[in-house]
Amino acid sequence: MYGNAYIGDAPKNDAPFQEDPHKLAEFEAKIERGEKIEPHDWMPREYRRQLVRMIEQHAHSEIIGALPEGTWITRAPGFRRKLALLAKVQDEVGHAQLLYNAAETLGKPREEMLNDLISGKSKYSNIFNYPALTWADSAVIAWLVDAGAIINQVANSKGSYGPYCRALERICQEESFHLKYGYENAVTLATGTAKQREMLQEALNRWWIPMMHFFGPPDKMSVHTEKLMKWKVKMASNDDMRQQFLTMYIPKIWELGLTVPDEKLRKNEAGKWDYTEPDWAEFVRVINGDGPCNKERIAVRNMAHERGAWVRRALMKPSAKVVAPLS
Ligand code: FAQ
């Protein structure tokens, strides 16, 4: 088992746990010096709890994130795109594996994480609760959602927890291929027929608000940012990541002749983007289970979990006689 093991969620009415001030000061000085924290190192309970929460959510987002695009594998236009999408979806599931491994180093068993996803106790990214209605939606996901993920993950790969940073470095390499694949699909549609351009514009319109939500609530509403940034788990605030995304991708979106569905969107004199605040009530609903596809996503995940139970049993007990179900 690991150094100071995961203790699960503290009861709601518990008095805040008092850490040893000397150990805490040493820990914070180490982070300040830019050194990595490794699984066997001493760490405050809250650091461990926050990391488990964030890495686990990230892992869940990768497996659930495979679902909207996954529905396009059988319908991808042409064999080359089918192969590329298949590889991308497989990569995303692989990212979940890397992230569950990183979260496990903090002491929470994988089975418990997967159960918490299915029961709704753990969250996953808002954005994967929307449907991918057309092939253009899958292009927008691979281009812009992957772009947003890269902005977040490149920043956080410079963070303080060794296993998470190393997983993120590898993930970012693969995500950059996904981004190129998505951009190529978007360019093909944008330079195609009028119908294809229309499809792409409609997909962008559908994904815009979820994309603005993707980076998390505005900094003034964010619960965890201050603590996470102090401990270098999070290396940029939600608003900073959103601004970075707009700076990098608005010019590219415009270059393709697309219109961003926000009349207020413009760069102001301070070099920051002004935009219409997306509906944060919708965000709260979606991340709490009431989005257009939450129920479907969890049902599919649950089905995969149940159908895979015999494989997990076989892996955990190789000597056991395991009979695969016939159907
Ligand atoms: N979705 O205090 P903050 C991908 C929750 S991977 C759902 O600001 P924090 C790859 C938050 O948990 C995408 N919930 O939170 C791919 C908290 O609730 P809680 C996932 C969200 O942690 C591409 C509450 O709101 N990436 O896309 C979201 O400081 C294409 C208050 O918020 C990661 O998970 C949200 N968007 O900042 C796959 C990266 N935002 O837990 C397939 C790691 C906030 O107290 C296809 N995570 N909440 O109940 C992070 O960097 C951070 O957790 C943030 C949120 C930035 C997402």
Side-chain angles (χ1 to χ4, degrees):
M1 209 34 182
Y2 303 97
N4 31 6
Y6 175 70
I7 43 130
D9 299 324
K12 287 253 177 318
N13 300 326
D14 243 14
F17 181 78
Q18 287 303 317
E19 296 289 358
D20 177 331
H22 297 293
K23 283 185 175 168
L24 184 61
E26 231 172 78
F27 167 84
E28 290 185 339
K30 196 169 172 182
I31 290 182
E32 200 47 47
R33 290 194 298 272
E35 290 172 33
K36 297 283 185 225
I37 305 296
E38 296 297 339
H40 290 278
D41 293 341
W42 184 90
M43 60 185 84
R45 284 185 185 204
E46 182 58 10
Y47 178 83
R48 183 184 297 273
R49 192 186 70 81
Q50 284 283 355
L51 272 171
V52 169
R53 177 190 69 83
M54 208 171 112
I55 304 174
E56 181 184 354
Q57 274 186 22
H58 190 172
H60 296 334
S61 304
E62 300 278 359
I63 35 172
I64 298 287
L67 300 179
E69 282 177 291
T71 61
W72 280 95
I73 292 173
T74 53
R75 298 171 287 167
F79 187 60
R80 195 175 67 91
R81 289 202 176 83
K82 194 187 288 287
L83 277 181
L85 179 57
L86 200 58
K88 179 188 189 301
V89 167
Q90 189 174 318
D91 282 354
E92 305 296 3
V93 179
H95 297 168
Q97 292 287 2
L98 292 172
L99 292 163
Y100 285 126
N101 288 345
E104 277 182 321
T105 65
L106 293 152
K108 183 164 179 180
R110 180 176 304 221
E111 195 72 12
E112 197 179 321
M113 290 189 256
L114 289 167
N115 288 338
D116 286 351
L117 166 63
I118 291 166
S119 73
K121 187 174 171 201
S122 299
K123 293 190 168 67
Y124 58 90
S125 182
N126 69 297
I127 203 144
F128 303 119
N129 291 305
Y130 294 84
L133 297 180
T134 69
W135 171 248
D137 293 65
S138 87
V140 169
I141 297 172
W143 179 28
L144 296 180
V145 179
D146 276 273
I150 291 173
I151 287 172
N152 172 294
Q153 291 162 190
V154 167
N156 291 344
S157 71
K158 313 281 186 307
S160 63
Y161 188 58
Y164 187 40
C165 296
R166 291 188 285 275
L168 289 180
E169 272 174 27
R170 159 116 185 244
I171 291 170
C172 286
Q173 305 276 348
E174 292 183 354
E175 298 288 28
S176 60
F177 275 104
H178 301 169
L179 173 72
K180 288 189 180 121
Y181 154 82
Y183 184 57
E184 201 229 3
N185 282 341
V187 170
T188 305
L189 293 169
T191 54
T193 62
K195 182 70 196 158
Q196 286 173 318
R197 283 198 297 279
E198 193 190 327
M199 256 172 66
L200 184 61
Q201 180 64 60
E202 284 172 3
L204 177 67
N205 295 349
R206 276 193 286 279
W207 289 87
W208 187 250
I209 300 287
M211 198 61 229
M212 292 296 279
H213 287 155
F214 178 81
F215 300 96
D219 291 352
K220 57 179 188 296
M221 285 163 60
S222 168
V223 190
H224 306 293
T225 298
E226 199 184 328
K227 196 179 294 167
L228 290 178
M229 288 192 73
K230 179 175 168 215
W231 283 335
K232 296 191 182 169
V233 172
K234 210 165 154 176
M235 300 298 281
S237 77
N238 301 356
D239 285 335
D240 286 348
M241 287 188 286
R242 207 169 359 255
Q243 283 287 334
Q244 198 184 331
F245 172 77
L246 296 172
T247 299
M248 289 175 76
Y249 290 95
I250 292 296
K252 292 188 200 300
I253 291 171
W254 283 343
E255 198 178 75
L256 293 187
L258 297 165
T259 308
V260 176
D262 179 357
E263 284 176 4
K264 265 201 193 166
L265 186 78
R266 58 179 275 279
K267 207 170 204 177
N268 64 30
E269 278 145 21
K272 296 268 184 200
W273 291 88
D274 292 331
Y275 50 81
T276 309
E277 212 48 67
D279 178 358
W280 289 106
E282 173 184 332
F283 169 79
V284 171
R285 273 197 310 278
V286 170
I287 67 170
N288 286 306
D290 191 19
C293 298
N294 298 59
K295 288 189 181 61
E296 181 188 329
R297 300 285 183 249
I298 293 298
V300 171
R301 183 62 233 149
N302 194 21
M303 184 182 70
H305 195 68
E306 282 174 4
R307 287 191 182 168
W310 69 273
V311 179
R312 290 194 299 280
R313 275 200 304 277
L315 286 170
M316 297 308 282
K317 279 192 189 165
S319 58
K321 194 176 168 210
V322 179
V323 181
L326 289 175
S327 60

